[in-house]
Amino acid sequence: MVQIFIKTSEDTGINEWAIIELQGDLECENGKDINGKFMADLFFNKDGTPILILGHHVMYGKVCNLEKPMVLIKKHKKLNEIDDGMELDDMKENFKTEYLVKSVIRKKILFNKRPKPIVF
Amino acid sequence: MEVTETEESALKDKTNRQLRSKELLDELIDKAKLNKDDLEPSVQHIYLSNSLTANEEYKLLELDDDGLNYLLEGNSLIIRGSETENAVCCTKNATFSFKVAEISNPLLITSNLSLSGKCDLEASNSEVLFLTNSYFLMAKEKPKLQKIKNLLELNLYSGRAYEQNNAQKYTIEHFLDCIQASEEEIYQYLNYIQAFQIDGFWRLLDFRYLNQIMDNILKLIEEKCWLFDKIPAKDIYQELDSIYEISVLNQVVLYYFTRNEDDPNFYSIRKEKIVHFYADSILRATIKMRFTEFQMILEKSLPSNLGIEFNLCLIQDLCYVEEPYIYYLNVLDMPDDLEKRFKYLFEKRKKWCLEELRAFVQDLCSNNASEISNALTKYCRSYTQNGTKYFTSRV
């Protein structure tokens, strides 16, 4: 059995991250690397309604509080503390996996209305 | 985020990404048939992070407010499990299941996102750091602790003379490494099964050995004419330390006596526990015997002036009576899973009444009346006969 610790880090308090929830799958151009690519523009109406323009679609959404808060945790390999009694052989497996809380998320923007197509 | 103008007058920010040009945005707004007057002036450009698809290191975990506060106070949640087990997640004193929930909508975890559109900057960039269809969630559950008893029973303690040097012994750290439960719950269970700490290791005493210690203590009390509610524990240690370790004697006292509030040098015997102990001693040796005979032998085993009347409810987790016999059945030997426990009980006996059944399931129901009631509803059928309610198996 293993014991894996989840704990806060210096980032936890500072980061303000949110969830954007889309309906359906995110389509990407086949075969192309999506890393680093531009995804969408996010506007807000003066009444607070979020509007997302993603590709050829415009979507209206709403800002919601999450029913229960979520945390984003990131895997981290930590060097085990060296025991006095440890032999060099023991040092092979001297990493321990732990998860650090990168941020707390309490809200999301939900886009679940049918997207409207944009004609260019 | 700060924005700096470069020579090409293409605006870039700290992430070194170009901010999209005003002209492009105006065109988008127009084509999307949005009314610029209705919009907040600031726009956020959302990019996918450079390592989005490579990122297997992020996970999303849903907590409740208590769990979140626990983390924010600086505590750790500990996931405990092996490849073959379902994982659990523990705080210092509670155990939770740790499961994955999958949803149909993709969730984009985005950094630096304003949720009101009221931003000082006209434009800013945000990054999607993690894209997922699933998250982990936790639900409180009862830990499985019987493994602790099973491990300790492999090496019972009967005094130093009988110690085996190469037998496996356990500390709390050992248990934290192999039991899927929180530290507090492990300690509570050790107390429940009456484990002893000897040389820093947790042990269960061999029953006959404990019986011997109890007999000696009670004999001493009788010899010295001590009152049952005014027993000088120190004298017990002094008189018996040639035979037994003081730390063992001390723990026997802690389990079977209570410290007097008015004078901490003296202890009062816990009469119900003594009755329970000797009943256990008799029943486990015989398994089945005539109830009347049992009561007679019990009376003889107990100090004559103990001052407690025998009542079956004192030993309800040790036995059941089907006239004229009494049968040994110890709750400590039963499965630690509620469904398995009911199955075990109904295999022993087709029908049980409430008091009997309660004694055998309350440890798995936090000794809580409504939890017990729910368990009975879930796992049993019931009927009333001659004014008594009986429970039978649902299966």
Side-chain angles (χ1 to χ4, degrees), chain B residues 301-312:
Chain B
S301 309
L302 295 168
S304 49
N305 53 345
L306 191 57
I308 179 171
E309 234 185 85
F310 172 74
N311 190 317
L312 198 57

Side-chain angles (χ1 to χ4, degrees), chain B residues 85-329:
Chain B
E85 298 165 313
N86 289 326
V88 300
C89 191
C90 302
T91 57
K92 192 131 194 156
N93 62 10
T95 304
F96 299 83
S97 62
F98 195 70
K99 295 190 177 152
V100 171
E102 299 213 357
I103 55 174
S104 52
N105 289 352
L107 301 175
L108 287 68
I109 315 314
T110 313
S111 72
N112 195 50
L113 199 69
S114 156
L115 295 179
S116 66
K118 295 191 202 320
C119 200
D120 293 332
L121 302 164
E122 261 196 33
S124 60
N125 288 343
S126 295
E127 257 192 335
V128 176
L129 292 146
F130 184 47
L131 174 59
T132 183
N133 275 89
S134 63
Y135 57 92
F136 288 92
L137 37 67
M138 293 164 45
K140 196 150 198 282
E141 71 174 23
K142 299 258 185 292
K144 299 280 185 283
L145 297 159
Q146 198 172 43
K147 189 173 167 188
I148 295 174
K149 180 165 168 282
N150 296 337
L151 291 172
L152 293 179
E153 279 173 340
L154 296 174
N155 186 22
L156 297 171
Y157 184 78
S158 312
R160 284 219 182 276
Y162 296 92
E163 282 290 77
Q164 292 184 347
N165 284 332
N166 45 8
Q168 177 74 55
K169 296 199 283 200
Y170 301 88
T171 60
I172 184 70
E173 280 74 33
H174 285 116
F175 289 136
L176 290 171
D177 262 339
C178 68
I179 305 291
Q180 292 186 293
S182 71
E183 194 171 333
E184 262 304 307
E185 287 165 315
I186 292 175
Y187 279 125
Q188 280 168 11
Y189 183 74
L190 288 166
N191 185 59
Y192 174 65
I193 60 175
Q194 285 195 182
F196 284 65
Q197 262 204 306
I198 298 170
D199 298 336
F201 296 99
W202 287 98
R203 308 293 296 276
L204 280 175
L205 260 51
D206 180 278
F207 193 86
R208 286 158 303 180
Y209 182 65
L210 178 57
N211 206 341
Q212 215 188 79
I213 299 176
M214 291 292 279
D215 286 344
N216 275 308
I217 292 177
L218 290 178
K219 203 170 82 179
L220 189 64
I221 294 172
E222 197 185 335
E223 274 172 19
K224 299 284 186 180
C225 298
W226 289 330
L227 294 172
F228 283 122
D229 58 1
K230 207 167 181 195
I231 294 165
K234 284 213 183 82
D235 291 22
I236 295 180
Y237 309 147
Q238 252 173 353
E239 296 281 341
L240 297 176
D241 76 346
S242 53
I243 324 171
Y244 304 112
E245 308 250 338
I246 292 188
S247 75
V248 173
L249 289 169
N250 176 238
Q251 287 173 85
V252 172
V253 166
L254 290 175
Y255 277 123
Y256 289 91
F257 297 68
T258 47
R259 197 167 214 161
N260 287 352
E261 270 174 32
D262 51 352
D263 190 344
N265 288 318
F266 293 94
Y267 286 73
S268 298
I269 209 168
R270 291 170 69 180
K271 297 177 183 180
E272 341 70 53
K273 288 216 76 178
I274 301 295
V275 171
H276 190 277
F277 180 80
Y278 280 96
D280 193 345
S281 167
I282 297 164
L283 288 168
R284 64 166 65 198
T286 54
I287 309 293
K288 170 186 172 180
M289 64 191 303
R290 287 188 161 270
F291 190 28
T292 43
E293 197 184 331
F294 161 76
Q295 284 177 285
M296 214 173 60
I297 299 178
L298 182 61
E299 204 184 329
K300 285 211 186 106
S301 309
L302 295 168
S304 49
N305 53 345
L306 191 57
I308 179 171
E309 234 185 85
F310 172 74
N311 190 317
L312 198 57
C313 68
L314 295 172
I315 57 170
Q316 208 113 52
D317 61 347
L318 269 183
C319 64
Y320 63 92
V321 173
E322 226 153 70
E323 296 282 5
Y325 296 104
I326 181 169
Y327 296 82
Y328 179 61
L329 193 64

